[in-house]
Amino acid sequence: MNKIAIAIHGGAGTITRSDMTAELEREYLGGLENSLKAGWEILRKNGSSLDAVEAAVVALENFPLFNAGRGAVFTNEGTNELDASIMNGINLAAGAVAFVKNIVNPISLARLVMEKTEHILLAGDGAEQFARQMNVESANDAYFFTEHRYRQLLEAQAAGKVQLDHAKLTENDQRKTENEIQNSKSKIQNPIGTVGAVACDAFGNLAAATSTGGMTNKKFGRVGDTPVIGAGTYADNRTCAVSCTGHGEFFMKTLAAYDVAARMKYKNLSLGAAANEVIEDLFAIGGEGGLIAVNALGNIALPFNSDGMYRGFVTSDGAMNVEIYR
Amino acid sequence: MNKIAIAIHGGAGTITRSDMTAELEREYLGGLENSLKAGWEILRKNGSSLDAVEAAVVALENFPLFNAGRGAVFTNEGTNELDASIMNGINLAAGAVAFVKNIVNPISLARLVMEKTEHILLAGDGAEQFARQMNVESANDAYFFTEHRYRQLLEAQAAGKVQLDHAKLTENDQRKTENEIQNSKSKIQNPIGTVGAVACDAFGNLAAATSTGGMTNKKFGRVGDTPVIGAGTYADNRTCAVSCTGHGEFFMKTLAAYDVAARMKYKNLSLGAAANEVIEDLFAIGGEGGLIAVNALGNIALPFNSDGMYRGFVTSDGAMNVEIYR
């Protein structure tokens, strides 16, 4: 049998020990461990990588501290809009949803798009209509209301700022008009706020899944990299499975997830070298974030160029590793 | 000065001489020529490739026979939902819109997303709200009503079929239930229906633009490859500018537009060889369509694996070439 492996992330950005309490740190690490266990249990019993990444992301979506599913940030209108995507490395089948509301587990809806339609990406009202046809679990707005997210929205609105999750407001930002901030990319610091999983199962099959609540105070139906196959998520048995997190637009223009696979295929790089190059190139154009990747030998890579990335992995030795800081 | 070049397409699929009248053929060729002229005039006067591809696509969007802008096909609800994207090879800046309604030139709205926001992709109501803020030209539904497109919707609905533009209904299709067709990829034949342009200007800068009305009778907010950077559109001065057309889902899972650039960067292939490989690989997994590509030396490639592709190009000799069939 093939060596099994799973890696997960809960977002990357400015995550420093000084901003963290011991209690909050324990909560985060517990959330990561629960997700890893959910995925690992499936892999260990010779389940599929697709089932494992879905289960791991479902656990992260249900955990209120990560920006996906229940813990999603609020848009400018005070709603929670959710994006997710999943890809099967066996046959390049993929499914994704963009800005759906009230769906408890967007990643499972993305999987249904992959398995029950001939499409890859469904968005908005249409995707919700599809969810109702599929009897996907939904919840009212109260389920998605988390105090800390709502406070972030009020703070962002007070500053007139479109914010990635966990972006901090400086005194300088407070003085900016919304328009100035809109036109100045550098004002959005510390991107964070996606969850994801990649896995290799006992049959050497790869899968990747990513889910997010987007950016605090976002407007205009902005779609980031998470529901874009090749940007936020990619899986191909011949190369690797990848899930990204960070400032989405940079991952979109560099096709970061697919680019790891492309460098393996066309440059014959190892998984680790390909993943590192992609994160270095991202940094070179000002993009902050990280990715998790696995290949069909059960090797993993978790590079990031931010201060921290909520992350965890289990490889063939069965030892569980969860980390936050650099 | 650099050698200038522009290439355009008006969709790929089953386009055969036997289905065409001489009059219709003249109309199509005239539409292609008008678009080429609009772009070429800009390049000839040392204008930018970005302005050239926008002008060429605006002309294609305004021409009622191509499936973009005015000539867009109808959705299941009898509406016209438009997608477009544009990318600047100088700095990898990109802009895109997905399922916007009543926008006369979605490609110009995509350019505003690129230039006036820090985002890449805006969708639905939010994108329309942004369009109003930018005072982008809109038109009522009557402007987008074209007799032949509405007939296609009625035919598709009678057959319970989600259709790519120009897909033909066979007697066999008529007997299928919608569900059977939904689950059988092979039933959707003859994909066609995007417009696009790529250009290299006198300064060696590359740009790409793509626009579409999607699929006849489409449901559930399906988003295809056109507004996805790397799938339908890509531009990078260091490699090439690419615009794709065909069965969108195949271009999405293979990242077809970016993949041409990746094969040039990482495998050191020529533009022509890279473009051909991408279309061959697409065919190998059952994907039908084509692409247009240009590099910074003013070379072009226009490979397709379908019966025909509405296409045209002008390179440094200034001669205008427009073609339809293989």
Side-chain angles (χ1 to χ4, degrees):
Chain A
M1 297 301 266
N2 206 81
K3 284 188 179 175
I4 58 178
I6 184 167
I8 60 166
H9 68 77
T14 301
I15 313 165
T16 55
R17 238 178 259 276
S18 56
D19 290 333
M20 191 75 81
T21 64
E23 192 190 337
L24 195 56
E25 190 175 291
R26 270 196 304 276
E27 272 195 73
Y28 274 117
L29 293 174
L32 291 170
E33 282 168 4
N34 278 341
S35 164
L36 270 183
K37 276 178 200 155
W40 183 252
E41 275 308 298
I42 291 168
L43 294 176
R44 205 174 54 82
K45 294 171 182 164
N46 295 333
S48 74
S49 53
L50 200 61
D51 287 341
V53 296
E54 183 186 2
V57 169
V58 160
L60 295 166
E61 286 175 339
N62 294 346
F63 181 71
L65 289 184
F66 293 125
N67 176 22
R70 183 166 200 177
V73 298
F74 286 94
T75 67
N76 181 257
E77 285 84 31
T79 57
N80 304 105
E81 291 179 352
L82 313 168
D83 303 333
S85 65
I86 193 165
M87 189 160 184
N88 187 344
I90 297 175
N91 57 0
L92 303 184
V97 292
F99 57 102
V100 293
K101 292 177 190 153
N102 300 103
I103 303 295
V104 173
N105 293 116
I107 197 65
S108 300
L109 182 58
R111 183 166 175 176
L112 286 168
V113 173
M114 176 173 80
E115 291 179 345
K116 303 295 183 188
T117 83
E118 62 193 1
H119 302 314
I120 290 178
L121 175 55
L122 303 184
D125 295 343
E128 289 164 22
Q129 194 186 327
F130 172 72
R132 285 190 294 276
Q133 276 197 17
M134 293 285 129
N135 292 312
V136 162
E137 191 186 359
S138 61
N140 59 21
D141 292 349
Y143 172 81
F144 297 93
F145 183 89
T146 50
E147 181 67 33
H148 64 292
R149 295 303 184 199
Y150 197 65
R151 218 167 41 232
Q152 284 174 349
L153 173 65
L154 297 181
E155 284 167 5
Q157 287 182 332
K161 191 175 171 184
V162 180
Q163 240 192 341
L164 293 176
D165 181 29
H166 281 206
K168 284 190 193 165
L169 301 179
T170 63
E171 263 184 44
N172 196 36
D173 284 331
Q174 303 275 2
R175 288 195 299 270
K176 303 261 176 202
T177 64
E178 173 165 322
N179 197 42
E180 278 176 311
I181 291 167
Q182 279 278 105
N183 290 319
S184 169
K185 289 195 167 50
S186 64
K187 292 303 159 299
I188 293 206
Q189 293 159 32
N190 319 332
I192 185 175
T194 323
V195 305
V198 295
C200 173
D201 65 28
F203 310 98
N205 291 322
L206 305 182
T210 315
S211 182
T212 190
M215 305 194 314
T216 294
N217 200 26
K218 76 169 176 173
K219 292 201 291 191
F220 298 140
R222 177 258 186 184
V223 178
D225 63 320
T226 299
V228 177
I229 296 303
T233 302
Y234 192 75
D236 182 348
N237 279 4
R238 295 167 295 180
T239 49
C240 58
V242 182
S243 171
C244 298
T245 179
H247 195 150
E249 277 73 9
F250 290 93
F251 290 80
M252 294 169 87
K253 65 173 73 175
T254 58
L255 285 310
Y258 176 67
D259 207 29
V260 179
R263 288 169 199 251
M264 292 176 71
K265 263 194 295 189
Y266 304 140
K267 289 180 80 175
N268 291 315
L269 291 188
S270 69
L271 178 78
N276 283 338
E277 278 193 6
V278 167
I279 293 301
E280 281 161 19
D281 280 12
L282 199 75
F283 186 73
I285 60 165
E288 192 182 1
L291 63 82
I292 55 174
V294 64
N295 69 7
L297 301 172
N299 298 320
I300 60 156
L302 302 90
F304 58 98
N305 62 33
S306 46
D307 287 334
M309 179 164 82
Y310 298 107
R311 61 199 188 277
F313 63 92
V314 188
T315 53
S316 52
D317 63 6
M320 188 172 299
N321 303 273
V322 288
E323 288 178 80
I324 299 179
Y325 315 107
R326 179 163 286 283
Chain B
M1 298 300 268
N2 206 81
K3 283 188 179 174
I4 59 178
I6 184 167
I8 61 166
H9 68 77
T14 301
I15 312 164
T16 54
R17 240 178 258 276
S18 56
D19 289 334
M20 192 73 81
T21 64
E23 191 189 337
L24 195 57
E25 191 175 291
R26 269 195 306 276
E27 273 195 71
Y28 274 117
L29 294 174
L32 292 170
E33 283 169 2
N34 279 341
S35 163
L36 270 184
K37 275 178 202 157
W40 184 252
E41 275 307 298
I42 291 167
L43 294 176
R44 206 173 53 82
K45 294 172 182 162
N46 295 334
S48 76
S49 53
L50 201 61
D51 288 341
V53 296
E54 182 186 2
V57 169
V58 161
L60 294 165
E61 285 176 340
N62 294 345
F63 181 72
L65 289 183
F66 293 125
N67 176 23
R70 182 166 200 177
V73 298
F74 285 95
T75 67
N76 181 256
E77 286 83 30
T79 57
N80 303 106
E81 291 179 352
L82 313 169
D83 302 333
S85 65
I86 192 165
M87 190 162 182
N88 187 345
I90 298 176
N91 56 0
L92 303 183
V97 292
F99 57 101
V100 293
K101 292 177 191 153
N102 300 102
I103 303 295
V104 172
N105 292 116
I107 197 66
S108 300
L109 182 58
R111 184 165 174 177
L112 286 169
V113 173
M114 176 174 82
E115 293 179 345
K116 304 293 184 190
T117 83
E118 62 194 359
H119 302 314
I120 290 179
L121 175 56
L122 302 184
D125 296 341
E128 289 164 24
Q129 194 186 327
F130 172 71
R132 285 190 294 275
Q133 277 198 16
M134 292 285 129
N135 292 312
V136 161
E137 191 186 0
S138 63
N140 59 20
D141 292 350
Y143 172 81
F144 298 92
F145 183 88
T146 50
E147 181 67 32
H148 65 289
R149 296 301 185 199
Y150 196 66
R151 218 166 42 232
Q152 284 175 347
L153 173 65
L154 297 181
E155 284 168 5
Q157 288 183 331
K161 190 175 175 188
V162 180
Q163 239 192 339
L164 294 177
D165 181 28
H166 280 206
K168 285 192 193 160
L169 301 177
T170 63
E171 263 185 45
N172 196 35
D173 285 332
Q174 304 274 0
R175 287 196 300 268
K176 303 262 175 199
T177 65
E178 173 167 323
N179 197 42
E180 278 176 310
I181 290 168
Q182 279 279 105
N183 289 318
S184 168
K185 290 195 169 47
S186 65
K187 293 302 159 299
I188 292 205
Q189 294 159 32
N190 320 334
I192 186 176
T194 324
V195 305
V198 294
C200 174
D201 64 29
F203 310 96
N205 291 322
L206 305 182
T210 314
S211 182
T212 189
M215 304 193 315
T216 294
N217 202 25
K218 75 168 176 174
K219 292 201 292 191
F220 298 140
R222 176 257 187 186
V223 177
D225 63 321
T226 299
V228 177
I229 297 302
T233 302
Y234 193 74
D236 181 347
N237 278 4
R238 295 167 295 180
T239 50
C240 58
V242 181
S243 170
C244 298
T245 179
H247 196 149
E249 277 73 9
F250 290 92
F251 290 79
M252 293 169 86
K253 65 173 73 172
T254 58
L255 285 310
Y258 176 66
D259 207 29
V260 179
R263 287 170 199 251
M264 291 176 71
K265 263 195 295 191
Y266 304 141
K267 290 179 79 176
N268 291 316
L269 291 188
S270 69
L271 177 79
N276 283 337
E277 278 192 9
V278 167
I279 294 300
E280 280 162 18
D281 281 11
L282 199 76
F283 187 74
I285 61 166
E288 192 183 0
L291 63 82
I292 55 174
V294 63
N295 69 7
L297 301 172
N299 298 320
I300 60 157
L302 302 89
F304 58 98
N305 63 33
S306 46
D307 287 334
M309 178 164 83
Y310 298 107
R311 63 199 186 278
F313 63 92
V314 188
T315 51
S316 52
D317 63 6
M320 188 172 296
N321 303 273
V322 287
E323 287 179 80
I324 298 178
Y325 314 108
R326 180 163 285 286

